[in-house]
Amino acid sequence: MAVRDPVCGMELEASAAAETREFGGRTFYFCSASCAERFDGEPEVYAGSPGRGPGHGAHSGHVGHGEQGGHAAHEGHGGMAHGEHKGHGGHGHRNHHAHHARMVAEFRRRFWVSLALTVPILLLSPLIQRLLGLPGALSFPGSSYLQLVLASAVYFYGGWPFLKGLREELGRQQPGMMTLIALAISVAYVYSAAVGLGLRGQVFFWELATLIDVMLLGHWIEMRSVMGASKALEELARLMPSTAHRLADGTVEEVPIEALKPGDRVLVKPGEKIPVDGVVAEGRTTVNESMLTGESRPVEKGVGDEVIGGAINGESAITVEVKRIGDETYLAQVIELVRKAQEARSRTQDLASRAALWLTLIAIGGGTATLLGWLAAGQNFNFALTRMVTVMVITCPHALGLAIPLVVSVSTAIAARRGFLIRDRTAFERARGLQAVVFDKTGTLTLGQFGVTDVVALSDLPEGEVLRLAAAVESRSEHPIAAGIVAAARDRGIAIPEPRDVRAIPGRGVEGRLDGMEIQVVSPSYLAEQGRVPTDERVKKLAVQGKTVVYLLVDGVPAGAIALADMIRPESREAVDRLKAMGIKVLMLTGDAGEVAEWVAGELGLDDYFAGVLPHQKAEVIRKVKAQGLTVAMVGDGVNDAPALVEADVGIAIGAGTDVAIESADMVLVRNDPRDVAAMIALARATYGKMVQNLGWATGYNSFAIPMAAGAMYPVGVVLSPALGAALMALSTVIVAINARLLKS
């Protein structure tokens, strides 16, 4: 039965609820203990308005570190708010981010306090005193009771997150790392306290304290490695300007976006963001929609054409009639897509938790069997109990708490040095099994900027002269096409002369005078309006390839044509080759036309491509590729990529892209180098290998230590003492730490 958490609004199965509460004759289901605790504080508020409590979904479905058991997986890219999101929201995420920061600070504080208390516990331990060559030198009347007090403080204060995690894991009927740790420290504490109060036996106080210290350190390291929760909704909302120039009775007034309503008219000046979805009522311009639709070329807009809120106006002022506001806008719908995709992310149980489940069963079963076995063999209860406690403490190795976090920490540092950042550990683990990588085109495989690919002479002027004249008048413009032409001329060493009387032809091009000639660089639509479109086959071929073609007119006569396209990154070919060599399919998604996509795919040798895909369709395409049974990564840089980045098994953002893409992704490529995708996958594979090795080192000695601790060699006079067991733990921890540092890719 599907139910909704009344605090955060998250939908979940009733059987999967972490906790339940009865209030007002109704049963309420919660995704985690923290949501249940907030409900307990204000049940009347949450019971009356599901998912709309203070903070509007502030909890965000985080499966806790410390709240829910530190090794449980992080759901949804740092935890997107599952509560209701309207327009420019994101308050829930901010509350969750602050909550997660508090949890990191709490583990840090508990670790340092426990470590400080551990020092005197170690100094008061007879074993440590013997190792220091000072047997009995640090003992004094009542020292054993002081050791008990200090160990109690470490157990209840430092061990509290694990004891709390034990309750929650058992409540979910999913015993894992928290259960194993809590079981080991509780058995060690209760038995040692009993010995300290008079029971015959040997105390485990220093083993207890160091075990808690190491586990707290492991959780602190792990939580810091996944810190920096997603801000995708906030970044998307920031694309919209906060105010607009509303036209009313012939005057212009500055009003908040929220004050606009359908039918209003707003003035959008050159270079400004369009405030809402609407239709051009007056004027003609070009609009940069690349961050929203993926269309790399500036789009011409005239009267009657639709414009999207968040797009950037080009060279001319336009009047826009408001058509959609609030949740109905294109950008708001993209925001909703991101939110839903993040909610749909499934939990991934990490390797250490799976190992912990088996070790928990071994600890309980082995400890019980040891106790009963020795009692049945005729040994006294104290001997049998000591053997049982030794087995249960040794079954929880110190190294297990560091086996995964240390590798994560090292791999994160290596990745950062190589120019990519890991934001979601579980997704990084999934990257080792990637079978397909889907690239966005604009700004990812391409440079996201126009460059000249072809110059065609349509008169007796040579190609270099065509480019020189065009660059002269375009040198006064900041239009992307102008920048591409000027850059091409400079790259070819062409001196660009100074023009006169340069002026824009709104939405059509630019014109000026040079050496007594009238020079124009215009779009095909400008010539079409005059019925003068050249029929040169070379130009037609360029148009078929999806390239942008502009014409040079000298004194009104076509003298040449210049083709521009979004230039392919030099690194893209090598990136595709590397991925294919790793057995990974390489595909491309783009909002551009099919001709453009076909040209890029052919140049790079891609396995397949999808063209003319809008943002919501991009997420659908990723789902279709995944439905083929493939583990899929999406690589992109634009707002339009955000839903697809979240929908993919692994989302990878180009660092120079928008903040939205970066905050929606699992990994971020700091450099604009698609080759880093292959490097990241190689590191993920190497990291997973180290994790498996470390888990082997962390748990492998149990096959020797547990039977010895149980007394398997007792008949021949060999018994594994708690001290030797602790030494084996320490050795395992050192091996794990060294092995993690040897990580390479």
Side-chain angles (χ1 to χ4, degrees), residues 305-648:
D305 291 332
E306 290 190 359
V307 290
I308 300 172
I312 301 173
N313 185 23
E315 67 278 359
S316 302
I318 55 174
T319 300
V320 175
E321 181 178 336
V322 177
K323 291 297 182 183
R324 291 183 294 274
I325 60 173
D327 294 343
E328 298 177 354
T329 63
Y330 179 89
L331 186 57
Q333 292 171 21
V334 174
I335 291 173
E336 181 66 9
L337 283 171
V338 173
R339 186 186 70 80
K340 286 184 177 179
Q342 291 205 351
E343 279 188 2
R345 300 294 296 219
S346 60
R347 296 183 179 93
T348 302
Q349 193 80 350
D350 65 37
L351 291 172
S353 291
R354 293 195 291 271
L357 173 60
W358 285 104
L359 287 174
T360 300
L361 299 177
I362 292 172
I364 296 173
T368 303
T370 298
L371 176 67
L372 297 178
W374 282 115
L375 290 176
Q379 286 289 345
N380 62 61
F381 181 77
N382 283 341
F383 177 87
L385 183 61
T386 301
R387 293 294 94 215
M388 182 195 78
V389 172
T390 304
V391 167
M392 298 186 75
V393 172
I394 281 179
T395 305
C396 180
H398 290 54
L400 185 60
L402 293 176
I404 300 300
L406 274 180
V407 175
V408 170
S409 180
V410 172
S411 64
T412 301
I414 291 174
R417 288 197 299 270
R418 295 183 182 181
F420 46 98
L421 309 177
I422 300 169
R423 300 188 63 252
D424 187 298
R425 177 175 60 80
T426 56
F428 180 65
E429 287 181 18
R430 288 195 296 272
R432 69 185 175 85
L434 285 174
Q435 298 164 299
V437 174
V438 182
F439 284 94
D440 169 56
K441 180 185 76 67
T442 306
T444 305
L445 291 176
T446 65
L447 294 171
Q449 62 190 43
F450 277 108
V452 173
T453 60
D454 305 88
V455 179
V456 179
L458 300 176
S459 65
D460 56 356
L461 290 180
E463 291 181 1
E465 183 65 8
V466 170
L467 191 57
R468 186 182 79 92
L469 295 176
V473 293
E474 293 285 20
S475 64
R476 300 295 182 86
S477 172
E478 295 182 358
H479 193 283
I481 290 177
I485 292 174
V486 171
R490 288 173 176 163
D491 290 343
R492 300 185 189 191
I494 298 174
I496 302 175
E498 287 291 328
R500 295 186 298 108
D501 303 328
V502 177
R503 57 189 177 277
I505 306 173
R508 292 292 186 266
V510 65
E511 60 186 359
R513 299 192 65 81
L514 180 66
D515 299 333
M517 298 179 292
E518 183 182 353
I519 307 298
Q520 295 174 304
V521 180
V522 297
S523 65
S525 59
Y526 180 85
L527 292 182
E529 290 173 356
Q530 301 180 12
R532 295 192 299 164
V533 177
T535 58
D536 190 286
E537 291 299 323
R538 294 170 297 171
V539 178
K540 287 183 178 180
K541 182 179 179 180
L542 297 174
V544 168
Q545 291 177 344
K547 298 178 180 179
T548 297
V549 178
V550 296
Y551 291 93
L552 171 72
L553 276 60
V554 178
D555 293 329
V557 178
I562 300 174
L564 301 96
D566 188 6
M567 303 300 288
I568 296 174
R569 290 187 185 279
E571 307 88 0
S572 294
R573 291 178 177 85
E574 186 178 347
V576 172
D577 291 342
R578 287 185 185 181
L579 289 169
K580 285 189 170 184
M582 298 170 75
I584 297 172
K585 295 181 64 176
V586 186
L587 306 92
M588 180 178 71
L589 267 179
T590 179
D592 260 341
E595 298 84 359
V596 177
E598 183 178 5
W599 172 67
V600 174
E603 289 290 313
L604 295 177
L606 303 180
D607 292 302
D608 201 355
Y609 66 89
F610 305 89
V613 184
L614 295 176
H616 66 282
Q617 295 170 330
K618 287 190 175 186
E620 291 171 5
V621 169
I622 294 296
R623 281 194 289 272
K624 289 179 182 177
V625 177
K626 289 168 63 177
Q628 298 175 19
L630 300 175
T631 303
V632 181
M634 171 68 192
V635 185
D637 74 330
V639 176
N640 60 297
D641 302 317
L645 286 170
V646 178
E647 182 62 43

Side-chain angles (χ1 to χ4, degrees), residues 109-437:
R109 182 176 62 252
R110 289 182 188 273
F111 167 73
W112 287 116
V113 171
S114 298
L115 184 63
L117 293 172
T118 299
V119 173
I121 293 175
L122 290 171
L123 294 176
L124 293 172
S125 171
L127 174 62
I128 301 300
Q129 291 178 19
R130 286 197 299 272
L131 292 176
L132 294 176
L134 302 171
L138 300 177
S139 298
F140 54 87
S143 61
S144 61
Y145 294 105
L146 176 59
Q147 199 176 17
L148 172 59
V149 171
L150 293 172
S152 298
V154 173
Y155 174 73
F156 288 107
Y157 179 73
W160 173 246
F162 310 114
L163 299 174
K164 186 177 181 182
L166 166 68
R167 184 192 69 182
E168 293 167 355
E169 287 185 351
L170 294 181
R172 297 195 309 272
Q173 298 181 351
Q174 294 177 347
M177 177 62 74
M178 289 295 168
T179 302
L180 178 61
I181 298 171
L183 179 65
I185 64 176
S186 296
V187 169
Y189 174 73
V190 172
Y191 175 76
S192 299
V195 172
L197 295 174
L199 181 70
R200 288 180 55 195
Q202 185 173 357
V203 297
F204 289 81
F205 285 139
W206 79 267
E207 293 92 339
L208 162 71
T210 55
L211 177 58
I212 290 175
D213 292 343
V214 170
M215 294 304 172
L216 285 172
L217 176 61
H219 281 68
W220 177 22
I221 291 173
E222 183 181 23
M223 292 181 71
R224 285 203 311 169
S225 72
V226 299
M227 190 61 177
S230 171
K231 298 178 183 177
L233 299 187
E234 295 173 45
E235 298 298 339
L236 280 165
R238 287 196 191 108
L239 284 178
M240 296 295 286
S242 58
T243 61
H245 313 300
R246 184 168 63 185
L247 299 172
D249 300 325
T251 62
V252 180
E253 57 178 346
E254 196 89 359
V255 298
I257 294 295
E258 293 76 12
L260 296 177
K261 60 182 183 297
D264 285 349
R265 291 195 171 195
V266 295
L267 174 67
V268 185
K269 300 175 183 179
E272 290 186 337
K273 290 180 179 178
I274 297 171
V276 290
D277 291 4
V279 174
V280 177
E282 295 178 20
R284 175 172 289 276
T285 188
T286 58
V287 174
N288 183 350
E289 298 178 340
S290 61
M291 293 303 179
L292 296 163
T293 67
E295 175 62 56
S296 59
R297 294 175 291 187
V299 182
E300 292 185 8
K301 298 290 184 180
V303 175
D305 291 332
E306 290 190 359
V307 290
I308 300 172
I312 301 173
N313 185 23
E315 67 278 359
S316 302
I318 55 174
T319 300
V320 175
E321 181 178 336
V322 177
K323 291 297 182 183
R324 291 183 294 274
I325 60 173
D327 294 343
E328 298 177 354
T329 63
Y330 179 89
L331 186 57
Q333 292 171 21
V334 174
I335 291 173
E336 181 66 9
L337 283 171
V338 173
R339 186 186 70 80
K340 286 184 177 179
Q342 291 205 351
E343 279 188 2
R345 300 294 296 219
S346 60
R347 296 183 179 93
T348 302
Q349 193 80 350
D350 65 37
L351 291 172
S353 291
R354 293 195 291 271
L357 173 60
W358 285 104
L359 287 174
T360 300
L361 299 177
I362 292 172
I364 296 173
T368 303
T370 298
L371 176 67
L372 297 178
W374 282 115
L375 290 176
Q379 286 289 345
N380 62 61
F381 181 77
N382 283 341
F383 177 87
L385 183 61
T386 301
R387 293 294 94 215
M388 182 195 78
V389 172
T390 304
V391 167
M392 298 186 75
V393 172
I394 281 179
T395 305
C396 180
H398 290 54
L400 185 60
L402 293 176
I404 300 300
L406 274 180
V407 175
V408 170
S409 180
V410 172
S411 64
T412 301
I414 291 174
R417 288 197 299 270
R418 295 183 182 181
F420 46 98
L421 309 177
I422 300 169
R423 300 188 63 252
D424 187 298
R425 177 175 60 80
T426 56
F428 180 65
E429 287 181 18
R430 288 195 296 272
R432 69 185 175 85
L434 285 174
Q435 298 164 299
V437 174

